[in-house]
Amino acid sequence: MSTIKKTFFRIERKFDAGTERLMMHHQLLGFFLLIVVAPLLTLLAVRACACILTMPYILLSAI
């Protein structure tokens, strides 16, 4: 369990460092990615999960 926790922590640190580096070097692009793209990707992920969860109901109700 601690190995998985350490792995996630390491991935999170790498992601945070990369994001910070992007924001420092490309401020306008970083701002656009965080303000526009990140919420859109979140909404797409929610939509995909909702479609996956409701797919069995839709298929079974069509019979």
Side-chain angles (χ1 to χ4, degrees), residues 11-61:
I11 291 170
E12 182 182 6
R13 277 198 325 232
K14 284 177 104 177
F15 180 77
D16 287 344
T19 304
E20 185 177 357
R21 196 175 324 115
L22 176 75
M23 288 294 290
M24 291 299 163
H25 291 289
H26 307 286
Q27 293 161 350
L28 186 61
L29 177 65
F31 178 78
F32 177 74
L33 288 173
L34 288 176
I35 300 301
V36 177
V37 176
L40 286 176
L41 288 177
T42 303
L43 288 174
L44 278 171
V46 169
R47 180 177 180 220
C49 290
C51 287
I52 290 170
L53 289 174
T54 58
M55 190 63 66
Y57 174 73
I58 293 170
L59 292 175
L60 290 175
S61 65

Side-chain angles (χ1 to χ4, degrees), residues 1-11:
M1 185 67 178
S2 67
T3 306
I4 296 171
K5 204 175 195 180
K6 287 179 185 178
T7 303
F8 280 128
F9 183 67
R10 189 177 8 190
I11 291 170

